């Protein structure tokens, strides 16, 4: 049987389809776009992709993505080394940095506990976090996992794990409540409850 | 010709969710009248998404769903029962994950089973009640779920000889699907079953939930019952449940609770 699509084209379509949020239609569209686009578009893309894995690694202190052994944030002397914000993913570091007021360091867990998908504590950088808190002079740990079932369970697990390890440190959780732009009337009970608990003096 | 889109209302318990695309989530729901269905919730990972807080895992919600050709889409969501206990509890999370994984494994897509929905609702409610015996909830739930899905273990007749079981110590054989009397026991996979353990299993299999919840069960008895039910379920599914492994891990850390003597 003759093929309507050459192998090299099929291969790229299949590769694109494995990316999150990209279905077979989008994958074909991207592939045919690259076929028509000037040569340098695809060579730049190919170069960037192959360097992505070969040049990057995890920071050995905070496990953020970096090109060095220790990332820029961990090496920055102006940042408060006694403060650690614990986040799920490297992208969460960017979200906190965007706020522009946090001056401490980070610890990236690379996921959250998810029993159903078989993600247990040993698959996350929790042991490393406990070790870090034990060996560095940390005064506060800001647990910044996402609000919700898995993020909360992971935060609780970390708290329990630290107390089992006999490490005493101030542990806080990011405030939660009504987001800017939201409507009170649409809020769920848990959110309203949290917002009331966390109310502040004007 | 494309089917006209239909909007329907349903109650549902959220049993699984994945992140999808930029800010969407795919949810697996268990509904009373349509069984297990998969839906998409668009944009719920944005901070200002109205529905986000209403679509928490292991909670009961009322939904307005638009039927699509590939994926159904949630139009409106209102949480009716979050189930969660006031204090965040890891062990609760582990048990809720276990109950839900069991249901997911034993049910097919779009196969209605209203009593099964009722069972999950009861079990999650019970799990969230103050001072509830989590392991007892799990045993009750397992036995009822197995009945509702056609895998009820035989507890009143010998699973091999079919004769009525006498009130004495027996064996439980996952392979044979229930209790096996000492005369018929074979192989080494059978678990010795004390008379008390047999009584508790029968009680949980046949009595109402408010009767079962009054049982006081000792820690060693709980271990035996768990071993029996987990081996039977692992035999049926030909795999161990990941959430059961998770539970084992976190239970190891839990301080020994104060438990009254066995019945």
């Amino acid at each position: 049987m003759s093929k309507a699509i050459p192998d090299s084209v099929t291969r790229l379509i299949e590769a694109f389809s494995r990316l999150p949020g990209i279905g077979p239609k989008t994958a074909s569209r991207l592939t045919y776009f690259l076929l028509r686009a000037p040569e340098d578009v695809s060579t730049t893309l190919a170069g960037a992709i192959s360097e992505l894995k070969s040049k990057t690694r995890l920071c050995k202190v905070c496990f953020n993505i970096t090109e060095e052994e220790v990332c820029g944030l961990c090496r920055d002397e102006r940042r408060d080394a006694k403060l650690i914000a614990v986040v799920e993913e490297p992208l969460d570091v960017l979200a906190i940095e965007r706020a522009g007021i946090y001056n401490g360091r980070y610890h990236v867990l690379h996921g959250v506990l998810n029993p159903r998908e078989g993600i247990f504590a040993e698959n996350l950088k929790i042991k490393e976090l406990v070790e870090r808190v034990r060996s560095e002079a940390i005064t506060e740990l800001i647990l910044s996992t996402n609000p919700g079932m898995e993020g909360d369970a992971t935060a609780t697990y970390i708290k329990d794990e630290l107390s089992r390890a006999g490490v005493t440190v101030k542990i806080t959780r990011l405030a939660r409540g009504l987001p800017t732009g939201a409507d009170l009337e649409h809020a769920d009970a848990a959110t309203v409850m949290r917002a009331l608990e966390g109310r502040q003096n004007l | 010709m494309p089917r006209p889109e239909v909007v329907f209302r349903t109650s549902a318990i959220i049993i699984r969710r994945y992140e999808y695309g930029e800010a969407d989530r795919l949810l697996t729901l268990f509904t009373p009248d349509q069984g297990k269905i998969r839906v998409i919730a668009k944009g719920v990972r944005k901070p200002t998404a109205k529905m986000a807080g209403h679509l928490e895992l292991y909670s009961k919600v009322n939904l307005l769903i638009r039927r699509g050709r590939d994926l159904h889409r949630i139009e409106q969501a209102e949480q009716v029962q979050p189930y969660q206990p006031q204090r965040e509890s890891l062990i609760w999370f582990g048990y809720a994950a276990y109950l839900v994984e069991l249901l997911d494994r034993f049910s097919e897509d779009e196969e209605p089973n209203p009593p099964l929905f009722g069972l999950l609702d009861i079990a999650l409610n019970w799990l969230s009640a103050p001072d509830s015996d989590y392991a007892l909830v799990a045993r009750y739930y397992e036995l009822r779920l197995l009945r509702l899905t056609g895998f009820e273990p035989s507890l009143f007749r010998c699973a091999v000889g079919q004769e009525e079981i006498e009130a004495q110590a027996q064996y439980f054989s996952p392979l044979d699907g229930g209790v096996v009397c000492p005369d018929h026991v074979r192989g080494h996979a059978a678990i010795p079953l004390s008379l008390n353990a047999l009584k508790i299993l029968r009680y949980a299999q046949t009595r109402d939930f408010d009767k079962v919840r009054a049982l006081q069960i000792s820690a060693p008895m709980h271990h035996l019952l768990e071993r029996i039910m987990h081996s039977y379920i692992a035999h049926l599914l030909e795999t161990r449940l990941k959430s059961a492994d998770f539970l084992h891990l976190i239970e190891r850390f839990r301080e020994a609770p104060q438990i009254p003597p066995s019945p």
Side-chain angles (χ1 to χ4, degrees):
Chain A
M1 203 173 80
S2 65
K3 280 187 246 167
I5 307 173
D7 279 347
S8 49
V9 176
T10 315
R11 240 190 354 253
L12 186 58
I13 294 177
E14 277 167 7
F16 274 133
S17 322
R18 289 171 63 182
L19 300 178
I22 295 189
K25 279 266 162 55
T26 312
S28 315
R29 210 156 43 228
L30 291 172
T31 306
Y32 281 96
F33 166 81
L34 287 173
L35 271 174
R36 275 194 305 268
E39 179 96 32
D40 70 297
V41 176
S42 48
T43 43
T44 313
L45 183 66
I49 289 173
S50 67
E51 278 189 4
L52 184 67
K53 278 290 191 180
S54 62
K55 285 209 174 167
T56 58
R57 54 170 121 179
L58 300 183
C59 168
K60 70 172 191 180
V61 180
C62 73
F63 302 97
N64 198 358
I65 310 283
T66 175
E67 290 192 354
E68 273 100 1
E69 193 162 312
V70 175
C71 74
L73 292 169
C74 287
R75 274 180 302 150
D76 189 344
E77 293 291 330
R78 285 164 306 178
R79 298 191 80 107
D80 188 348
K82 295 194 185 69
L83 202 57
I84 298 181
V86 181
V87 295
E88 291 178 19
E89 302 291 344
L91 281 173
D92 298 330
V93 171
L94 297 184
I96 296 183
E97 283 300 289
R98 265 202 305 274
I101 61 159
Y102 180 66
N103 193 35
R105 298 210 166 138
Y106 293 93
H107 189 93
V108 184
L109 296 171
H110 291 276
V112 273
L113 294 178
N114 191 333
R116 184 65 172 88
E117 314 303 329
I119 300 174
F120 299 170
E122 69 209 42
N123 309 111
L124 307 173
K125 304 289 180 195
I126 292 180
K127 217 167 58 208
E128 292 83 349
L129 175 65
V130 174
E131 206 35 58
R132 197 175 158 193
V133 176
R134 201 205 298 268
S135 59
E136 295 174 26
I138 307 296
T139 54
E140 184 178 348
L141 215 52
I142 307 171
L143 299 180
S144 316
T145 48
N146 286 327
M149 196 61 75
E150 299 96 333
D152 290 343
T154 309
T156 310
Y157 184 89
I158 291 172
K159 194 186 102 206
D160 293 354
E161 191 70 15
L162 285 165
S163 79
R164 270 193 297 275
V167 182
T168 43
V169 61
K170 180 177 172 191
I171 303 174
T172 55
R173 186 100 173 85
L174 282 190
R176 52 169 68 172
L178 298 166
T180 310
D183 241 31
L184 185 55
E185 99 177 67
H186 295 298
D188 59 289
T191 301
V192 176
M193 197 177 80
R194 301 284 192 164
L196 278 171
E197 283 169 1
R199 69 186 185 277
Q200 292 178 354
N201 288 322
L202 259 182
Chain B
M1 205 175 72
R3 252 191 315 167
E5 291 202 308
V6 191
V7 174
F8 63 96
R9 264 178 203 290
T10 183
S11 161
I13 294 172
I14 298 168
I15 64 172
R16 211 169 173 185
R17 62 178 189 189
Y18 312 87
E19 314 216 320
Y20 184 77
E22 283 269 306
D24 309 337
R25 272 201 183 107
L26 289 179
L27 307 177
T28 306
L29 308 173
F30 198 76
T31 65
D33 303 320
Q34 302 184 56
K36 196 160 73 178
I37 54 173
R38 285 164 216 281
V39 297
I40 187 166
K42 298 287 263 180
V44 285
R45 280 155 57 211
K46 292 179 191 155
T48 50
K50 283 181 224 161
M51 289 193 294
H54 293 276
L55 295 176
E56 186 57 272
L57 208 49
Y58 317 141
S59 68
K60 186 160 74 175
V61 286
N62 280 334
L63 300 173
L64 190 66
I65 296 175
R66 181 171 294 274
R67 213 183 280 280
R69 252 168 304 164
D70 304 322
L71 261 179
H72 305 331
R73 178 179 164 159
I74 298 183
E75 302 267 295
Q76 281 172 35
E78 190 195 4
Q79 190 173 69
V80 284
Q81 172 61 275
Y83 296 119
Q84 280 154 279
Q86 288 283 329
R87 228 185 107 265
E88 263 139 38
S89 151
L90 205 55
I91 200 96
W92 181 91
F93 173 69
Y95 270 98
Y98 175 69
L99 301 187
V100 154
E101 182 176 1
L102 210 54
L103 177 114
D104 196 6
R105 301 268 188 173
F106 276 97
S107 59
E108 297 294 330
D109 282 2
E110 312 203 2
E111 207 172 73
N113 192 341
L116 198 52
F117 179 86
L119 174 67
L120 182 63
D121 186 29
I122 285 178
L124 284 172
N125 253 321
W126 181 8
L127 201 64
S128 312
D131 304 321
S132 73
D133 180 345
Y134 292 153
L136 182 58
V137 179
R139 300 296 88 80
Y140 169 82
Y141 176 82
E142 289 161 346
L143 285 162
R144 295 311 169 104
L145 178 133
L146 291 170
R147 167 178 282 185
L148 291 172
T149 51
F151 293 98
E152 186 174 40
S154 163
L155 297 180
F156 292 87
R157 287 183 175 276
C158 170
V160 178
Q162 295 302 321
E163 81 282 6
E164 213 167 303
I165 286 286
E166 285 173 45
Q168 63 180 54
Q170 308 283 348
Y171 291 87
F172 187 93
S173 166
L175 199 68
D176 298 305
V179 175
V180 176
C181 68
D183 293 340
H184 287 109
V185 70
R186 53 189 178 179
H188 37 262
I191 304 166
L193 185 69
S194 66
L195 179 60
N196 253 346
L198 176 62
K199 279 183 178 167
I200 295 170
L201 288 176
R202 284 178 169 182
Y203 198 83
Q205 192 182 55
T206 51
R207 299 303 166 93
D208 280 344
F209 126 87
D210 48 337
K211 290 262 178 15
V212 178
R213 78 184 297 175
L215 286 177
Q216 303 278 339
I217 294 172
S218 72
M221 180 60 83
H222 259 322
H223 279 134
L224 174 64
L225 297 173
E226 183 188 83
R227 197 175 136 223
I228 287 169
M229 293 311 295
H230 281 186
S231 0
Y232 181 51
I233 288 164
H235 170 73
L236 291 173
L237 294 173
E238 295 179 352
T239 178
R240 282 183 59 84
L241 296 187
K242 288 176 191 145
S243 50
D245 291 338
F246 180 79
L247 263 181
H248 278 286
L249 275 176
I250 52 174
E251 284 216 301
R252 270 209 324 244
F253 298 139
R254 204 155 65 130
E255 295 113 353
Q258 292 294 310
I259 296 169
S262 65

